[in-house]
Amino acid sequence: MTPFHRCAASVLVAGALAVFTATAMPTIPQAIPDTTDDHLEASLRPILPPFVVDNLRSVLHPRARSLASDLAQTAGILLGPRDSTVSTGRMLDDVTDSHAHTVDRGAYLRLRLFDLYIGDWSRTPAHISWTQSATPGAWQPVASAYRNPLPQFRGLIPQAVLMASESMTNFTDEYPPVERASVGLRSLDRRLLGGISPAHWDSVTLQLQRALVPAASSISLGESPRDVEVVLALRRRAATLTAASSDLRRTIDRWVALHGTDADDSIHVRVRQGHLLTVAVGPRGSTLAGEEAFFNSAGTHDLRLLLGRGDDIVTIEGSEPKIPVEVISEGDTKILSRTASTSTWERSTPRGVQWHQVATRPPMDRRDWGRVTTFEPWLDLDSDDGFFFGGGPVTTTYGFGLEPYAQRSRALVGIASSTMGVRAVIDYETREWWRNIGIQAGLRFAQADVTKFFGTGNETIGAASEADVARFEGRRRDVEMSGGIDVPLGPSWSADLHVRLTSSAIRADRGTVVDSLISSGEVRSLNSGTAGASIVYDTRGEALLPADAAYLAAIFEVTPAFLQNRSPYVRGALDAQWHLALPDTAAVIVTRFAGETFSDTPPWFESAAIGGSHSLRGYERERFRGNASILTGVEARIPAWTIPFIWPHETGFILFAETGRVFHRGEDSRRWHSSVGAGGWVRAVRSPYFASGTIARSPEDWKLSATLGFAF
């Protein structure tokens, strides 16, 4: 069987498995427009099995939204749309300007407890607007309509998406870990809920529970087993709301950030019996500094006071606080302190308190608490490996004030259907040793990766047919240990220092080009070490189609005469991308320029190469080799539809053209190698992962490939 046929067979098998598991396993509704079901059901029943129609019916006609809406009104949740509301950003700007307006923190707590109760994983600051309450000066939250309440994920495909997404939770009779259930509003929760007194918190919780318990008990069980399960879960959750509320309070109060305003503020910190601490923030010169926030060293690990551009005074009264306090200010700040044994204020910073001035306050949308473990898929498809599939757990710990996280570890393993070769990756990064500087360590293993050699230079001859490709193939085994330091240089800049120890070995069948190359004295195996540095500029963010963004990565590496390597060389590489939005459309045009060069001749399997699904599409992997390479191309990424079938999916089209060449010492060539192609992508709604596939045409061949993410 040729590589092309192996690839096609893998596609058919994977597709059949996906269709079977998607249709045979029940899922429940996502954010799909409500429609009437009679006509649809009557049309589908003659042509589809009953379990498929029942599945589609449950997807298209949820009872969940009406239940959530009724329960929200019973719980006293304000639902939108309403007149005279402002966005969360506008509300925060208003309360940051001065103390003229405050936030009804009790109402916001009631809203967040209700979100937790119905398991709506889609809430973000954009889903909440704000209105002035009957009491002038207080902002109250207004929730948008609940589109994804009571989510239940069953079956292989839904469970895989659930494991891979940090922001999705499963609605059962037990509450999920709070750290997983409140990702989208994590930073707003910290700002508005931190430091609420235990008495106030418990009072809001009990009022909500007293409203939900009878409301849930009055809901009819319904006829289907799923209806019975959902209603019983609502009743159970209402009865155990106080325990979930306590978990939320403990999580929020573990690391706290209290915000001042851009006016002149007065912040009074009082240390009581060492382990107790209260903080009040109010306008400077007022008799009372505002509502007091309560903290206990047994539950609070760190406290940040984020002050604005005014002339602020921070007074610290009592003994040394057991809770570390950090004061971060944009304006002029005076810190005064006094102990219980003195009656005069001294301008000093007591032990346990740090203060520094910054140009701007830390961003509000930073995730800085909680630990989440998700499943990361590892998928690829091309004519060499066939269908490569695998994955593994990714554990992320978000740390207080550390960006983008405090620790992260991955353990991935996968296997290729054509070669039966295994790949594994284990890596770990921490940013807790030095503030926001990443310390990295990793281990990579590849058992039987396909490597190819068609000769060196820009004018080499390719395979005469699909079956002839095997004559140019070998198998490569790699074991690599690495370590590095990642240093942020600015909002979009970072630098990296890294070292690697690599053990590589090549195996080839007799009579192949690779076997002849090794027999003539070229390297068969090599143990070597590499040290290098890179600098990266990246403004793309996490958007699927970033607009008006750029990416630039420059790498410089040295491989010395070390271990088995007797021929030192230096490598330089550049990858630059520009993402430009087409006017009046959602489409994005991505242009790319990439290049690689070596100062001396490296081992043949490490030389600069182009060709393959992530390089020059339409050509064999590593089709052209030399001492240097250039690749440039343009790709249009065009959003298409959101498909509400089995699982809501976003789709789009891809059109691309690429060209490149290699340079080899002693060769005089002006030829460029080009290809064109098309494809598409698909992503489950709100999933962090998406898959894309393309078919490319070059003067030599047609090539089909697919991968997670885009090719670049």
Side-chain angles (χ1 to χ4, degrees):
M1 183 181 290
T2 66
F4 177 81
H5 292 116
R6 292 197 299 267
C7 175
S10 300
V11 173
L12 292 176
V13 172
L17 178 62
V19 170
F20 174 78
T21 54
T23 55
M25 303 295 182
T27 64
I28 91 157
Q30 303 302 312
I32 306 170
D34 294 322
T35 59
T36 57
D37 63 334
D38 295 339
H39 177 72
L40 178 65
E41 184 177 348
S43 302
L44 294 180
R45 284 209 177 274
I47 59 176
L48 291 177
F51 68 85
V52 176
V53 177
D54 292 339
N55 183 34
L56 293 178
R57 183 180 181 185
S58 69
V59 169
L60 294 174
H61 309 284
R63 187 186 175 196
R65 295 180 202 153
S66 60
L67 285 175
S69 178
D70 293 343
L71 288 169
Q73 294 181 15
T74 302
I77 305 298
L78 298 181
L79 294 177
R82 287 172 173 257
D83 297 332
S84 304
T85 60
V86 300
S87 67
T88 298
R90 287 282 303 275
M91 181 276 295
L92 292 176
D93 289 341
D94 179 72
V95 298
T96 300
D97 286 341
S98 68
H99 291 275
H101 297 141
T102 60
V103 176
D104 187 340
R105 301 204 296 168
Y108 181 73
L109 173 59
R110 182 168 60 249
L111 171 63
R112 295 301 288 130
L113 290 175
F114 184 77
D115 291 345
L116 190 64
Y117 171 66
I118 63 171
D120 194 337
W121 45 261
S122 66
R123 312 307 279 178
T124 68
H127 292 92
I128 300 177
S129 56
W130 299 81
T131 186
Q132 287 287 329
S133 65
T135 303
W139 288 108
Q140 281 193 317
V142 179
S144 62
Y146 287 96
R147 304 298 295 173
N148 300 285
L150 319 180
Q152 290 182 314
F153 303 94
R154 298 173 181 174
L156 298 180
I157 292 178
Q159 283 292 335
V161 175
L162 177 65
M163 293 172 63
S165 174
E166 180 186 356
S167 60
M168 295 183 182
T169 59
N170 206 7
F171 185 81
T172 66
D173 59 354
E174 295 183 356
Y175 287 94
V178 172
E179 296 165 348
R180 186 181 177 97
S182 56
V183 170
L185 284 166
R186 176 175 292 169
S187 57
L188 195 62
D189 288 347
R190 177 185 305 288
R191 177 163 183 169
L192 300 183
L193 300 181
I196 292 181
S197 68
H200 188 187
W201 190 291
D202 293 342
S203 173
V204 172
T205 303
L206 289 174
Q207 289 178 10
L208 180 61
Q209 187 180 43
R210 287 168 183 162
L212 291 177
V213 168
S217 300
S218 66
I219 300 174
S220 62
L221 291 178
E223 298 179 358
S224 70
R226 182 185 171 278
D227 282 342
V228 173
E229 181 181 350
V230 167
V231 173
L232 291 179
L234 285 171
R235 295 177 182 177
R236 169 67 175 169
R237 284 193 173 212
T240 58
L241 180 63
T242 53
S245 175
S246 297
D247 288 342
L248 178 61
R249 180 164 60 86
R250 283 192 294 267
T251 304
I252 291 293
D253 281 349
R254 195 173 303 156
W255 298 282
V256 180
L258 299 181
H259 290 249
T261 71
D262 287 334
D264 297 341
D265 293 332
S266 175
I267 300 93
H268 187 64
V269 180
R270 181 178 299 172
V271 182
R272 300 177 177 179
Q273 302 174 6
H275 64 282
L276 296 177
L277 187 147
T278 63
V279 181
V281 181
R284 185 170 169 179
S286 63
T287 304
L288 297 176
E291 181 183 354
E292 281 193 315
F294 291 80
F295 307 101
N296 190 315
S297 61
T300 302
H301 298 173
D302 290 280
L303 171 63
R304 278 188 299 179
L305 303 177
L306 304 179
L307 309 182
R309 294 186 289 267
D311 294 333
D312 305 319
I313 292 182
V314 179
T315 57
I316 302 173
E317 183 178 2
S319 58
E320 176 187 345
K322 295 294 189 296
I323 302 172
V325 178
E326 184 178 8
V327 180
I328 303 174
S329 62
E330 295 179 82
D332 294 329
T333 299
K334 298 177 182 178
I335 297 181
L336 305 176
S337 65
R338 73 178 181 187
T339 64
S341 60
T342 61
S343 59
T344 59
W345 294 96
E346 298 180 357
R347 187 164 183 177
S348 64
T349 303
R351 294 181 59 185
V353 178
Q354 296 182 4
W355 172 78
H356 55 270
Q357 192 169 5
V358 296
T360 58
R361 276 168 289 186
M364 266 295 298
D365 58 353
R366 184 164 61 198
R367 299 177 179 180
D368 53 5
W369 56 269
R371 174 180 295 175
V372 176
T373 299
T374 59
F375 176 82
E376 179 175 322
W378 194 6
L379 304 173
D380 214 353
L381 175 71
D382 61 29
S383 58
D384 295 313
D385 297 325
F387 180 45
F388 179 86
F389 59 96
V394 179
T395 299
T396 304
T397 301
Y398 297 102
F400 194 64
L402 302 178
E403 193 174 358
Y405 43 74
Q407 297 179 21
R408 191 173 194 181
S409 61
R410 294 190 310 161
L412 310 179
V413 63
I415 187 170
S417 63
S418 291
T419 64
M420 299 307 294
V422 174
R423 298 176 197 158
V425 172
I426 300 174
D427 55 40
Y428 172 80
E429 180 181 9
T430 179
R431 294 179 177 269
E432 294 184 308
W433 292 0
W434 291 296
R435 190 175 184 87
N436 280 329
I437 295 179
I439 310 298
Q440 305 161 337
L443 176 66
R444 184 179 68 87
F445 170 76
Q447 178 190 16
D449 279 359
V450 174
T451 189
K452 297 185 178 182
F453 185 77
F454 295 87
T456 53
N458 204 47
E459 302 284 348
T460 55
I461 305 300
S465 65
E466 191 76 30
D468 191 43
V469 172
R471 190 165 59 90
F472 300 89
E473 290 183 358
R475 295 290 185 268
R476 176 173 174 174
R477 186 269 299 154
D478 286 304
V479 179
E480 178 183 289
M481 294 183 292
S482 62
I485 300 176
D486 180 67
V487 183
L489 303 178
S492 303
W493 290 92
S494 65
D496 173 84
L497 302 174
H498 57 268
V499 294
R500 292 195 308 272
L501 294 176
T502 306
S503 175
S504 302
I506 307 297
R507 176 177 57 83
D509 295 336
R510 288 187 176 275
T512 62
V513 174
V514 175
D515 179 61
S516 301
L517 184 70
I518 295 173
S519 300
S520 66
E522 289 291 341
V523 174
R524 176 187 296 271
S525 63
L526 182 67
N527 297 328
S528 62
T530 300
S534 66
I535 187 168
V536 175
Y537 174 76
D538 191 354
T539 61
R540 296 174 299 176
E542 298 181 0
L544 175 65
L545 298 177
D548 302 324
Y551 171 80
L552 174 69
I555 302 174
F556 177 83
E557 293 182 334
V558 177
T559 301
F562 177 64
L563 298 177
Q564 290 182 328
N565 185 47
R566 296 294 178 261
S567 302
Y569 57 90
V570 176
R571 171 180 175 263
L574 178 70
D575 190 355
Q577 302 173 22
W578 293 268
H579 299 248
L580 304 175
L582 289 180
D584 302 322
T585 71
V588 171
I589 299 294
V590 185
T591 57
R592 183 193 189 194
F593 175 85
E596 185 179 21
T597 185
F598 290 85
S599 64
D600 294 286
T601 303
W604 65 272
F605 52 83
E606 295 287 1
S607 57
I610 59 173
S613 57
H614 295 277
S615 177
L616 183 60
R617 287 167 283 188
Y619 290 87
E620 293 290 341
R621 180 184 295 181
E622 300 164 344
R623 173 63 182 85
F624 302 97
R625 291 184 178 273
N627 299 106
S629 66
I630 289 179
L631 174 68
T632 185
V634 60
E635 182 169 286
R637 300 170 181 171
I638 309 166
W641 311 283
T642 297
I643 303 175
F645 185 78
I646 301 297
W647 191 280
H649 286 79
E650 300 170 354
T651 62
F653 297 112
I654 298 172
L655 301 173
F656 68 88
E658 296 176 337
T659 186
R661 61 160 299 170
V662 298
F663 301 86
H664 189 63
R665 292 184 182 89
E667 181 186 56
D668 183 14
S669 172
R670 298 184 178 180
R671 178 179 297 183
W672 287 78
H673 311 284
S674 303
S675 66
V676 296
W681 82 81
V682 60
R683 179 179 74 162
V685 171
R686 297 188 62 82
S687 170
Y689 304 108
F690 64 96
S692 66
T694 60
I695 184 168
R697 175 59 175 167
S698 71
E700 293 189 355
D701 205 352
W702 291 88
K703 288 294 180 183
L704 173 70
S705 64
T707 186
L708 282 182
F710 292 112
F712 60 88

